[in-house]
Amino acid sequence: MTSNKKLGLTTRILIGMGLGITVGMFFNLLTDSGQNPLALDLGVFTFSVKEFFVDGIFNIGGQIFVSSLKMLVVPMVFVSLVCGTCSLNDTSKLGRLGGKAVGLYLLTTAIAITTAITLALIVSPGVGANLTADVNFTAKEAPSLAQVFIDMFPTNPIDAMAKGNMLQVIVFALLFGIALALSGTTGERLNTLFSDLNVVIMKLVTILMNLAPYGVFCLMAKLFTTIGLGIIIKLSLYFGLVLAVLFIHALVVYPVLLKMLTGLNPAIFLKKMKDATLFAFSTSSSNATMPVTLETATKKLGVKNSIASFTVPLGATINMDGTAIMQGVATVFIAQAFNVDLTVSDYLMVILTATLASIGTAGVPGVGLIMLAMVLQQVGLPVEGIALIIGVDRLLDMTRTAVNVTGDCMVSCIVGKSEKEFDANVFNNPAAGTEAESVDFHHLHGSSEKA
Ligand code: ASP
């Protein structure tokens, strides 16, 4: 406990990540050498140290960590959004608020993919690549836009929650929250219950955040055991370009937009995003990171729950700037590698399709490739081209998810500030939200002893 208090949560997560990557690389090198020197022949059976740790401990620890985060998503979104909608003193504000959030999410995505395509055309990562698709990639069917709108309305809210269909859960929570606000005394009683539930769920998030260093260690150790690092060298231009555009977007485009539209200090914003981006990076899932994103937006950045409870889950579902960047670079790369000339209108089509495709696809690992298949089909490029880049996609997925989550928080700040649902004192206070970084489990003893 004492040592935990000395080291901040971010540092602990970073240590877990560093150790995990080192251990993973160690096992990776062993496997690369073609044999398994850590296998002990015990006569009756062979004990493999690698299997025990990588497929056993790390696998189990990592999966349990991600599942626990996901476990909180549906209850958290539902409860906090009901509270948020109910606390808006004027629920008719919802339309304007929704319009601003969706508009900004789509705008930032369009900027992201436009920058990506422009830089990719300048750098030309695929020219002379002479790569052949030696792995098969079968595209999954992407939903049509009309279907996306129809599917936003649940026929059965319990089914929507069970399946984790975020847009449906959002719509139901919004309608439920409006009805609650209009229900007089009964609504007030129930609202108190929801507010209490919200506190308990956020406490659960805090507990999980405290376990993150171990979870992140397991995830990294497992991932880096299997990741093919050699392919990065082969695809270094593509890989480096996607990374560069992701950094430009996070460190230049977002700060400029934030400063222009809110006057807030971008350096403070980026500093406060550390934990959420680390979670996003380790889990590769905006969805699984949502509990931490919401905690960051409300407790560290100062966006009121009435706004963040809506903009964060919406963003995790429809805002994928990082993913759009990968799609922009990948489209140019694949076109060049297959010697296909795309016209300006083709590129406009790519921008439009990628932006709209982000609405209907949830933020889960690897979904970017499904969206890319849709984009490639739209401009007549071979979908098998995805096989060219799939080898390095896992690492890029981690980084672009961190960008996606940063975008969700940036838009939350802009909408919160413009709706005057924003606490600048929290934003400017470096210690805000950090009290949540350590849980005093001893308190449990204290209270049970007293009881
Ligand atoms: N993993 C990303 C996310 O959850 C989506 C993707 O780019 O594949 O935001």
Side-chain angles (χ1 to χ4, degrees):
M1 243 326 148
T2 334
S3 59
N4 278 0
K5 277 188 182 140
K6 272 195 215 132
L7 292 178
L9 179 67
T10 316
T11 318
R12 281 184 280 140
I13 298 180
L14 277 172
I15 294 175
M17 185 177 275
L19 286 177
I21 294 177
T22 316
V23 171
M25 301 271 251
F26 169 71
F27 281 114
N28 198 337
L29 290 177
L30 283 183
T31 326
D32 264 6
S33 66
Q35 356 136 342
N36 190 354
L38 293 184
L40 309 174
D41 191 354
L42 300 178
V44 199
F45 71 99
T46 315
F47 175 77
S48 162
V49 178
K50 178 174 170 275
E51 261 164 38
F52 178 75
F53 282 107
V54 179
D55 305 327
I57 312 262
F58 302 158
N59 184 25
I60 296 171
Q63 301 257 13
I64 291 181
F65 174 62
V66 175
S67 302
S68 320
L69 281 170
K70 288 189 188 158
M71 163 184 88
L72 293 181
V73 170
V74 170
M76 188 203 69
V77 170
F78 183 63
V79 171
S80 70
L81 193 47
V82 168
C83 291
T85 320
C86 213
S87 67
L88 277 177
N89 36 23
D90 176 6
T91 40
S92 63
K93 263 164 84 172
L94 268 173
R96 191 180 63 217
L97 207 154
K100 275 187 200 172
V102 174
L104 280 166
Y105 281 141
L106 296 186
L107 174 76
T108 49
T109 308
I111 295 177
I113 187 159
T114 312
T115 321
I117 292 179
T118 314
L119 288 178
L121 285 173
I122 296 171
V123 176
S124 302
V127 169
N130 278 337
L131 292 166
T132 45
D134 47 5
V135 189
N136 277 329
F137 183 89
T138 334
K140 282 194 195 152
E141 201 62 37
S144 73
L145 196 58
Q147 200 55 42
V148 169
F149 284 122
I150 297 169
D151 288 347
M152 273 165 62
F153 289 80
T155 50
N156 178 347
I158 307 296
D159 184 55
M161 291 186 193
K163 294 201 173 115
N165 186 322
M166 257 333 118
L167 289 180
Q168 293 190 348
V169 175
I170 291 175
V171 168
F172 180 62
L174 285 176
L175 295 175
F176 193 89
I178 294 174
L180 201 62
L182 299 175
S183 296
T185 330
T186 317
E188 276 167 29
R189 282 201 308 266
L190 209 52
N191 191 10
T192 316
L193 177 75
F194 268 92
S195 302
D196 290 351
L197 269 175
N198 201 21
V199 174
V200 177
I201 291 178
M202 286 321 251
K203 185 53 78 184
L204 255 172
V205 175
T206 309
I207 295 175
L208 264 186
M209 283 176 79
N210 270 269
L211 299 175
Y214 308 101
V216 168
F217 168 81
C218 291
L219 285 175
M220 292 298 109
K222 169 91 172 73
L223 177 68
F224 277 82
T225 306
T226 41
I227 214 149
L229 294 172
I231 185 127
I232 294 181
I233 299 163
K234 217 168 134 198
L235 288 172
S236 54
L237 210 47
Y238 166 77
F239 186 78
L241 187 60
V242 176
L243 277 190
V245 187
L246 286 174
F247 277 104
I248 292 175
H249 200 68
L251 304 178
V252 180
V253 177
Y254 286 154
V256 169
L257 281 178
L258 189 74
K259 187 77 194 162
M260 262 172 41
L261 299 176
T262 65
L264 293 169
N265 183 336
I268 300 182
F269 170 79
L270 289 175
K271 213 161 168 211
K272 295 199 169 203
M273 283 307 301
K274 277 183 304 191
D275 289 343
T277 43
L278 282 177
F279 269 75
F281 186 80
S282 333
T283 58
S284 281
S285 166
S286 313
N287 256 3
T289 310
M290 218 191 293
V292 187
T293 319
L294 189 59
E295 166 122 3
T296 304
T298 51
K299 296 201 177 143
K300 293 190 176 171
L301 295 169
V303 185
K304 293 274 164 65
N305 188 52
S306 52
I307 301 290
S309 62
F310 173 64
T311 50
V312 167
L314 187 70
T317 316
I318 72 167
N319 181 51
M320 295 189 197
D321 299 353
T323 310
I325 287 170
M326 175 279 287
Q327 292 177 74
V329 179
T331 308
V332 176
F333 177 77
I334 292 169
Q336 290 172 344
F338 282 89
N339 292 317
V340 179
D341 276 332
L342 294 181
T343 61
V344 175
S345 62
D346 284 332
Y347 284 118
L348 288 178
M349 184 53 97
V350 170
I351 296 172
L352 192 70
T353 319
T355 308
L356 294 181
S358 64
I359 301 180
T361 38
V364 292
V367 82
L369 290 185
I370 299 174
M371 291 158 67
L372 179 61
M374 199 178 166
V375 170
L376 294 179
Q377 260 163 359
Q378 199 68 38
V379 287
L381 281 172
V383 174
E384 306 79 62
I386 291 178
L388 297 178
I389 51 160
I390 207 164
V392 289
D393 197 66
R394 188 67 178 79
L395 282 174
L396 291 176
D397 193 359
M398 299 161 83
T399 323
R400 67 185 184 241
T401 308
V403 174
N404 291 345
V405 166
T406 310
D408 299 344
C409 283
M410 204 251 340
V411 169
S412 301
C413 286
I414 298 178
V415 178
K417 190 92 196 311
S418 75
E419 291 291 324
K420 304 206 171 34
E421 300 274 343
F422 185 84
D423 190 340
N425 291 331
V426 173
F427 184 88
N428 291 316
N429 176 5
T434 46
E435 71 281 2
E437 290 190 354
S438 59
V439 183
D440 185 3
F441 288 100
H442 296 101
H443 184 67
L444 288 176
H445 291 296
S447 47
S448 59
E449 272 157 20
K450 271 181 221 139

